[in-house]
Amino acid sequence: MAHSRRDVTVIGLGYVGLPLAVALARQFPTTGFDVDSRRIAELHDGHDRTGEIDRERLADSKLSLTASADECPPSDFYIVTVPTPIDGDKRPDLSIVEAATRTVGTMIAAAHAEGRRPIVVYESTVYPGVTEDICGPLLEKVSGLACGEDFFLAYSPERINPGDREHTIDRITKVVSGQTPEVLEDVAALYDAVTSGGVFRAASIRAAEAAKVIENAQRDINIAFMNEIAQIFGRMDLSVWDVLAAARTKWNFLPFAPGLVGGHCIGVDPYYLSHRAEELGHDPRVILAGRSTNDGMAEWVAERLHAARGDKAGSVLVLGLTFKEDVPDLRNSKVADLVEALKARGHVVTVHDPHADADEALHEYGLQLDGGALEHTYDTVLLAVPHREYLAMGADVFRERLEPGGTLADLKGALEGADWTL
């Protein structure tokens, strides 16, 4: 660096960017930028809709917040933490990261004009090569600067797990990489200052990009195996949970479980790797087989629930819509797919979730959350997402919500005494 001070701007203040920005602001002058002005207004008011940072921590933080790129001061580090979803054809959609890159391009031009040689760090999940082959040239085009001379690239994959209070940004090991050995050390020092878990210096930017994408692909494939054996044992009228209880007594048995695979990472990232593999002429059979199994799980569950009622439609209360328990995150919720599959079979479905935002559920999935759903009775009550509030109620409370002869169903085997499980 040309000077000892480290000014940081974080672009994107969602589940990844906000915790990172708050952590960085404890050590460095940090600005958090997000194009969503409503998000910035909420954060100014002390409310984090993701539930990752509480009101007290926001109030105590020195983090500057803005929805205007022009208000971001020149910085030494620009860290991009925007989403990288897939499109309708399950291909990587880089439009958001490209838009953020264009914004950063204008920012680094201003930083360079005052004598800085900024480092642009990407945390967004991508396939190997995106940072150097796509983002770098785009930054050059927008800024008019030379990559590797006037500004530099780095990559440090995010490892945020929504709702996880143990593996937080200030405790995990951060993988870091940089365009040059000097940049690598600068980036390592930045992250090492905010996490007690230390840093791991990856051999290259591509290696760091690849490490992130296989972390989630590995989980996806293991869960796919669990879902496949659940389907096999279902044909045998054998509880997969009974089988897993026995198998888990072996010391090296991996404790994965069947279920719906949603969220922004595990259900998305493998498609980034498979896309790049296909571009290179390789057929990623294992990756795509896992994705096919997991993507079809909602349809299979709906068919089994329908069969449990003798193939007769009825009323169904679905408890939980978020992609996992105890978080408000609705991104890529496969429970929504399950609801649609039940409706397609003629069932009248009511959805309840104490964590999900009603407006977001309506906007994303066209589903109306019913806050008073537990006041009525149904032919089937399905615990789809085992939020702590539901587990505290217990099976007996839900049985009271059943019509005579109704079914209490539990997707994840979290309730004792359920009539139906995977």
Side-chain angles (χ1 to χ4, degrees), residues 10-22 63 81 123 160:
V10 177
I11 296 89
L13 297 176
Y15 283 88
V16 175
L18 181 64
L20 174 62
V22 169
L63 176 66
T81 64
E123 289 213 359
I160 293 294

Side-chain angles (χ1 to χ4, degrees), residues 65-401:
L65 297 164
T66 182
S68 172
D70 293 337
E71 293 180 0
C72 294
S75 296
D76 302 293
F77 293 91
Y78 294 88
I79 305 179
V80 179
T81 64
V82 298
T84 44
I86 53 175
D87 62 20
D89 295 323
K90 297 179 180 177
R91 297 288 181 177
D93 179 2
L94 296 174
S95 61
I96 301 174
V97 77
E98 288 174 344
T101 297
R102 292 187 187 93
T103 299
V104 173
T106 63
M107 292 179 177
I108 63 172
H112 185 264
E114 70 162 39
R116 305 188 193 219
R117 299 171 73 199
I119 297 172
V120 183
V121 186
Y122 287 87
E123 289 213 359
S124 304
T125 302
V126 293
Y127 55 81
V130 168
T131 299
E132 293 166 294
D133 299 340
I134 295 177
C135 297
L138 185 54
L139 287 168
E140 286 186 317
K141 179 180 179 181
V142 174
S143 68
L145 303 176
C147 184
E149 296 180 17
D150 303 320
F151 72 90
F152 300 89
L153 298 173
Y155 186 82
S156 180
E158 62 88 3
R159 282 176 166 169
I160 293 294
N161 183 23
D164 189 335
R165 297 296 178 258
E166 179 181 355
H167 303 99
T168 53
I169 186 64
D170 55 345
R171 296 175 182 173
I172 61 171
T173 300
K174 281 291 285 178
V175 172
V176 296
S177 61
Q179 192 171 6
T180 69
E182 294 76 20
V183 169
L184 174 60
E185 291 309 312
D186 279 339
V187 174
L190 181 79
Y191 283 104
D192 196 41
V194 298
T195 179
S196 61
V199 296
F200 177 86
R201 293 164 176 80
S204 66
I205 289 176
R206 280 175 167 78
E209 291 169 322
K212 169 57 182 175
V213 80
I214 70 164
E215 287 172 16
N216 287 330
Q218 182 189 66
R219 288 188 58 79
D220 192 46
I221 292 166
N222 277 286
I223 296 170
F225 173 64
M226 292 292 120
N227 281 336
E228 184 165 76
I229 64 170
Q231 294 175 24
I232 294 170
F233 295 150
R235 292 176 178 269
M236 303 178 184
D237 196 26
L238 183 61
S239 168
V240 68
W241 304 110
D242 290 345
V243 174
L244 289 175
R248 286 170 179 166
T249 61
K250 188 168 188 247
W251 61 91
N252 61 353
F253 186 82
L254 302 178
F256 288 93
L260 303 179
V261 182
H264 184 67
C265 293
I266 298 178
V268 173
D269 295 351
Y271 286 119
Y272 275 73
L273 185 56
S274 65
H275 167 77
R276 185 60 181 138
E278 289 170 339
E279 285 187 333
L280 296 169
H282 176 79
D283 181 12
R285 288 172 292 176
V286 173
I287 295 170
L288 291 180
R291 280 283 74 235
S292 176
T293 297
N294 289 339
D295 277 348
M297 196 63 178
E299 187 72 24
W300 180 79
V301 171
E303 182 57 35
R304 283 206 67 204
L305 285 170
H306 186 63
R309 281 192 46 77
D311 294 334
K312 293 185 293 186
S315 57
V316 182
L317 171 61
V318 173
L319 298 169
L321 181 61
T322 59
F323 92 90
K324 64 180 287 190
E325 57 270 21
D326 303 327
V327 300
D329 196 345
L330 286 170
R331 293 175 297 175
N332 193 29
S333 169
K334 294 304 178 182
V335 180
D337 292 349
L338 174 56
V339 170
E340 292 308 310
L342 289 169
K343 288 181 176 179
R345 289 163 173 78
H347 297 273
V348 177
V349 183
T350 302
V351 182
H352 179 275
D353 193 308
H355 290 273
D357 180 83
D359 291 337
E360 186 180 356
L362 187 61
H363 178 266
E364 293 296 323
Y365 304 110
L367 294 177
Q368 186 81 48
L369 297 181
D370 188 343
L374 294 173
E375 299 173 6
H376 307 288
T377 55
Y378 308 86
D379 296 312
T380 301
V381 173
L382 168 64
L383 179 60
V385 185
H387 292 311
R388 57 179 175 269
E389 291 89 343
Y390 296 146
L391 298 182
M393 292 179 187
D396 290 343
V397 170
F398 298 128
R399 285 198 180 282
E400 294 173 0
R401 299 298 94 210

Side-chain angles (χ1 to χ4, degrees), residues 15 18 39 47-54 163 165 326 328:
Y15 283 88
L18 181 64
R39 170 73 165 155
H47 172 61
D48 170 26
R49 72 178 79 145
T50 70
E52 294 298 308
I53 304 295
D54 60 35
R165 297 296 178 258
D326 303 327

